[in-house]
Amino acid sequence: MSRRALDELGLGPIWIRRDQLAALAYDAEAEENDATPAARSAQGARPAAVALSGASTKPAAKASRAPVVVIPDARTRATPQETAQPEESARSREIAAMDWETLDASIRGCTACALCESRTQAVPGVGDRTARLLIVGEAPGAEEDKRGEPFVGAAGKLLDNMLAAINEKRGDGVYIANVLKCRPPGNRNPQPAEVAECAPYLARQIALIQPAVIFAIGRFAIQTLLQTDAPISALRGKVHRHGEIPVVVGYHPAYLLRNLPDKAKAWQDLLLLSDQLASANRVSHA
Ligand code: URA
């Protein structure tokens, strides 16, 4: 990777001590290779079991069809063993009709899964509610749980640098959210039932924001949004769709902090994202 590209990403001087890597809120080891169903079920995590399918680009209030979110019945607290049921619950229908304030309060007060017991606070998301670019990560880590904002730890600094490299900025035309709104204890992988309970929240955020482009970072976000088991390596370099919304995929910044050689690929992903944003701009100004 060229020196310039590294500088643009702000990666030149970044070195993380081995003993500090454990604190990164991400299973970076699994990013590339553990994407097969067998490998994931061995870890007790199958993000693709949950559908945020059919997300409309329009808010439910305005759209003829609200986003269809497939989640298990939320009346009982989910256990890790449960699998998602293919029917829309009353809870997901209720969430699909929420405005921003109600949604925010609902996320902050959510007790639908056991993560509410270990969290300091829920982390709904941050940024511009009319953003063109929505970034979707995995789940809050320790720092995010403490501060109530997504991507504020080491991975978040790298994410900010990556955005700056394509002239984008957190909060300015950009919204950042996670698949899970609460921190999994010890930064373990999200479990399918947890993803299922949180899915309506992300679906509603997408419907309210109506982003021009989604940047899905890391395998949990990618597999949840695209409903695929495919590894990131097979999905990179193409534009996918979540409903009608173009989705660009990329490596999770926590993974990139550990895997220097893949930063060149991250630069390519950012260029694709930038192209998509530019073409979305052209369409909106046509
Ligand atoms: N990793 C994520 O996926 N999200 C965060 O908010 C922080 C770290």
Side-chain angles (χ1 to χ4, degrees):
M1 182 172 201
S2 76
R3 177 76 234 171
R4 185 178 149 264
L6 282 170
D7 285 347
E8 291 218 42
L9 286 170
L11 297 177
I14 291 186
W15 291 95
I16 305 272
R17 279 192 1 227
R18 202 179 285 275
D19 58 339
Q20 292 172 345
L21 282 171
L24 289 174
Y26 197 69
D27 181 3
E29 305 294 341
E31 177 83 347
E32 183 61 272
N33 299 319
D34 279 8
T36 63
R40 273 203 315 278
S41 56
Q43 293 177 344
R46 286 196 83 249
V50 176
L52 275 168
S53 59
S56 166
T57 55
K58 306 273 186 295
K62 289 186 235 158
S64 54
R65 188 164 61 91
V68 177
V69 179
V70 180
I71 63 166
D73 193 317
R75 284 169 301 186
T76 50
R77 177 162 294 177
T79 67
Q81 285 73 36
E82 285 176 347
T83 52
Q85 300 301 306
E87 64 188 47
E88 200 183 3
S89 70
R91 175 173 173 267
S92 64
R93 280 196 300 275
E94 198 184 310
I95 292 171
M98 288 178 177
D99 62 17
W100 273 112
E101 278 59 44
T102 320
L103 182 66
D104 196 67
S106 175
I107 293 172
R108 290 182 192 285
C110 181
T111 55
C113 81
L115 294 183
C116 67
E117 287 161 14
S118 51
R119 74 182 177 216
T120 305
Q121 58 189 311
V123 182
V126 70
D128 187 340
R129 291 175 172 182
T130 59
R132 288 176 316 122
L133 171 59
L134 170 64
I135 298 173
V136 180
E138 178 177 318
E143 196 59 27
E144 290 77 19
D145 174 72
K146 214 185 300 168
R147 289 172 50 187
E149 182 172 333
F151 284 101
V152 287
K157 288 202 183 81
L158 177 54
L159 179 61
D160 287 341
N161 286 339
M162 290 163 69
L163 290 175
I166 55 165
N167 297 316
E168 298 291 342
K169 196 172 166 212
R170 172 189 298 251
D172 183 6
V174 177
Y175 193 91
I176 306 178
N178 284 306
V179 172
L180 289 192
K181 311 305 184 198
C182 297
R183 181 191 182 209
N187 299 334
R188 64 157 168 72
N189 284 336
Q191 294 180 345
E194 293 160 358
V195 179
E197 295 293 356
C198 246
Y201 288 136
L202 180 59
R204 187 60 187 147
Q205 288 175 316
I206 293 170
L208 284 167
I209 296 167
Q210 302 184 63
V213 183
I214 296 176
F215 187 36
I217 47 177
R219 69 189 179 100
F220 270 92
I222 294 167
Q223 293 176 350
T224 302
L225 285 166
L226 300 183
Q227 286 297 287
T228 177
D229 277 350
I232 297 181
S233 55
L235 300 169
R236 288 185 51 253
K238 295 168 217 148
V239 178
H240 304 268
R241 300 261 152 194
H242 176 75
E244 293 160 29
I245 307 171
V247 177
V248 174
V249 308
Y251 290 109
H252 195 285
Y255 167 83
L256 293 171
L257 286 171
R258 291 168 182 255
N259 293 276
L260 210 63
D262 279 338
K263 283 170 186 157
K265 295 182 190 162
W267 179 242
Q268 291 163 1
D269 298 337
L270 285 172
L271 292 179
L272 179 60
L273 176 62
S274 186
D275 281 353
Q276 275 304 301
L277 286 165
S279 55
N281 264 351
R282 280 195 297 279
V283 171
S284 74
H285 291 125

CSV table of all heavy atoms in Angstrom, one decimal, residues 25 137-141 144 150-151 178 252, ligand 1:
chain,number,residue,atom,x,y,z
A,25,ALA,N,-13.4,-3.8,20.6
A,25,ALA,CA,-14.7,-4.5,20.7
A,25,ALA,C,-15.0,-5.2,19.4
A,25,ALA,O,-15.9,-5.0,18.7
A,25,ALA,CB,-15.7,-3.4,20.9
A,137,GLY,N,-22.1,-0.8,12.1
A,137,GLY,CA,-21.1,-1.7,12.7
A,137,GLY,C,-21.8,-2.8,13.5
A,137,GLY,O,-23.0,-3.1,13.3
A,138,GLU,N,-21.0,-3.4,14.4
A,138,GLU,CA,-21.5,-4.6,15.1
A,138,GLU,C,-22.2,-4.3,16.4
A,138,GLU,O,-23.4,-4.6,16.5
A,138,GLU,CB,-20.3,-5.5,15.3
A,138,GLU,CG,-20.6,-6.8,16.1
A,138,GLU,CD,-19.4,-7.7,16.2
A,138,GLU,OE1,-18.6,-7.8,15.3
A,138,GLU,OE2,-19.2,-8.2,17.3
A,139,ALA,N,-21.5,-3.8,17.3
A,139,ALA,CA,-22.1,-3.6,18.7
A,139,ALA,C,-21.2,-2.7,19.5
A,139,ALA,O,-20.0,-2.7,19.2
A,139,ALA,CB,-22.2,-5.0,19.4
A,140,PRO,N,-21.7,-2.0,20.5
A,140,PRO,CA,-20.8,-1.2,21.3
A,140,PRO,C,-19.8,-2.0,22.0
A,140,PRO,O,-20.1,-3.2,22.4
A,140,PRO,CB,-21.8,-0.5,22.3
A,140,PRO,CG,-23.2,-0.8,21.8
A,140,PRO,CD,-23.1,-2.0,20.9
A,141,GLY,N,-18.6,-1.4,22.2
A,141,GLY,CA,-17.6,-2.0,23.0
A,141,GLY,C,-17.6,-1.3,24.4
A,141,GLY,O,-18.5,-0.6,24.7
A,144,GLU,N,-17.7,2.6,24.2
A,144,GLU,CA,-19.0,3.0,23.7
A,144,GLU,C,-20.1,2.9,24.7
A,144,GLU,O,-20.9,3.7,24.9
A,144,GLU,CB,-19.4,2.2,22.4
A,144,GLU,CG,-18.5,2.5,21.2
A,144,GLU,CD,-17.2,1.9,21.2
A,144,GLU,OE1,-17.0,0.9,22.0
A,144,GLU,OE2,-16.3,2.3,20.4
A,150,PRO,N,-21.5,5.3,19.4
A,150,PRO,CA,-20.8,4.3,18.7
A,150,PRO,C,-19.4,4.7,18.2
A,150,PRO,O,-19.2,5.9,17.9
A,150,PRO,CB,-21.7,4.0,17.5
A,150,PRO,CG,-22.9,4.9,17.6
A,150,PRO,CD,-22.6,5.8,18.7
A,151,PHE,N,-18.5,3.7,18.1
A,151,PHE,CA,-17.2,3.9,17.5
A,151,PHE,C,-16.4,5.1,18.1
A,151,PHE,O,-16.1,6.1,17.4
A,151,PHE,CB,-17.3,4.1,16.0
A,151,PHE,CG,-17.5,2.7,15.3
A,151,PHE,CD1,-18.8,2.4,14.9
A,151,PHE,CD2,-16.5,1.8,15.2
A,151,PHE,CE1,-19.0,1.1,14.3
A,151,PHE,CE2,-16.7,0.6,14.5
A,151,PHE,CZ,-17.9,0.2,14.1
A,178,ASN,N,-25.1,0.7,15.1
A,178,ASN,CA,-24.6,-0.7,15.2
A,178,ASN,C,-25.8,-1.7,15.0
A,178,ASN,O,-27.0,-1.3,15.3
A,178,ASN,CB,-24.0,-1.0,16.6
A,178,ASN,CG,-22.6,-0.4,16.7
A,178,ASN,OD1,-21.7,-0.7,15.9
A,178,ASN,ND2,-22.4,0.4,17.7
A,252,HIS,N,-14.0,-4.4,9.2
A,252,HIS,CA,-14.2,-3.7,10.4
A,252,HIS,C,-12.9,-3.0,10.8
A,252,HIS,O,-11.8,-3.6,10.7
A,252,HIS,CB,-14.7,-4.7,11.5
A,252,HIS,CG,-15.2,-4.0,12.7
A,252,HIS,ND1,-14.4,-3.3,13.6
A,252,HIS,CD2,-16.5,-3.8,13.1
A,252,HIS,CE1,-15.2,-2.8,14.6
A,252,HIS,NE2,-16.5,-3.1,14.3
B,1,URA,N1,-17.2,-1.8,17.2
B,1,URA,C1,-18.4,-1.8,16.6
B,1,URA,O1,-18.8,-2.5,15.7
B,1,URA,N2,-19.2,-0.7,17.0
B,1,URA,C2,-18.8,0.1,17.9
B,1,URA,O2,-19.6,1.1,18.2
B,1,URA,C3,-17.6,0.0,18.5
B,1,URA,C4,-16.7,-1.0,18.1
